Amino acid sequence: MKNFKYGNRYRNNVKWWHNKMTICIASLCGIEISNPDRPSPAIVFCADRLITSSVEFEHGNAKIKYIENRAIIMEAGDGSLSDLIIDKDFIDSSIQELNVREIAEMIENKIRRLRLNKVEHICSKYGLSRNVFTIKSADTHPSIITSVLQEIALSDFNSGLAFIVAGLDKDGIPQLFVVSSERGIECYNSVGFIAIGSGADLSLIELTKSIPRPTMPISEALLRVYGAKKNAERVAGVGKLTDLGFLYLTKT
């Protein structure tokens, strides 16, 4: 029987994705469990604790959400919006039985529904339904349609909202995805690492010194990911507090 376990998590004061102020990083690596010649897949991850919403501050809540012993989700962007997507009901739902890609697809769908709700709110201010854009209506004046379209175009629509979804499927294969409000789902398995947030560019300087790979020793990956996070702290708006950890597969 296979179980998924987490390694220790450490906290100390210690074009990629340009989201609002934060840094989240995930990288593939390997961990020696029983056979040094065949390391088991693992994922190293870290994030700061800076929250960006109507205010910006660091606090004691981590940006890393844990899906049982299956996967982790890290968030970048407006904290109040991301909480609407990755809420308690989402974490407690049947996603525990899904593979990592399916979890990413569920997040993408929730982002789309949030955007659709905003469109409906704008339409309602003009006494319209969003169906007015799909059903011709002789009763709607063209100037009103123009005003609605202009307001929709000028709306933020969760710009910069992104999530890293990383984990190990039940067959033990590691998966790295980014889900964003701007570009939907993207897979970074072949790249081997991903960084999101305003500090992503600086983190790449450290991450690309030695390309992360499934056979990279976990000790090296931890140092590389933590070093990348420290580099990112040079960007205004990246927090100093750090959550660092790793996810791996064990056999019992």
Side-chain angles (χ1 to χ4, degrees), residues 44-60:
V44 170
F45 53 88
C46 80
D48 69 349
R49 291 198 171 197
L50 188 73
I51 295 299
T52 302
S53 185
S54 56
V55 294
E56 183 180 296
F57 62 97
E58 286 190 285
H59 65 52

Side-chain angles (χ1 to χ4, degrees), residues 139-227:
D139 298 329
T140 305
H141 195 280
S143 63
I144 296 178
I145 298 295
T146 300
S147 297
V148 173
L149 291 174
Q150 287 177 341
E151 188 167 347
I152 291 174
L154 293 173
S155 297
D156 186 11
F157 284 113
N158 320 332
S159 177
L161 186 63
F163 301 88
I164 289 177
V165 185
L168 298 164
D169 285 339
K170 291 182 179 180
D171 56 8
I173 296 177
Q175 305 280 357
L176 290 179
F177 292 95
V178 169
V179 187
S180 77
S181 57
E182 298 171 350
R183 297 173 65 173
I185 296 178
E186 293 186 300
C187 179
Y188 286 83
N189 290 345
S190 60
V191 177
F193 62 95
I194 183 62
I196 61 174
S198 57
D201 280 349
L202 281 183
S203 72
L204 292 178
I205 296 174
E206 184 67 23
L207 288 171
T208 55
K209 285 181 180 178
S210 176
I211 301 300
R213 58 196 185 280
T215 56
M216 174 182 282
I218 195 167
S219 57
E220 180 181 346
L222 283 165
L223 289 173
R224 189 59 47 81
V225 168
Y226 181 67

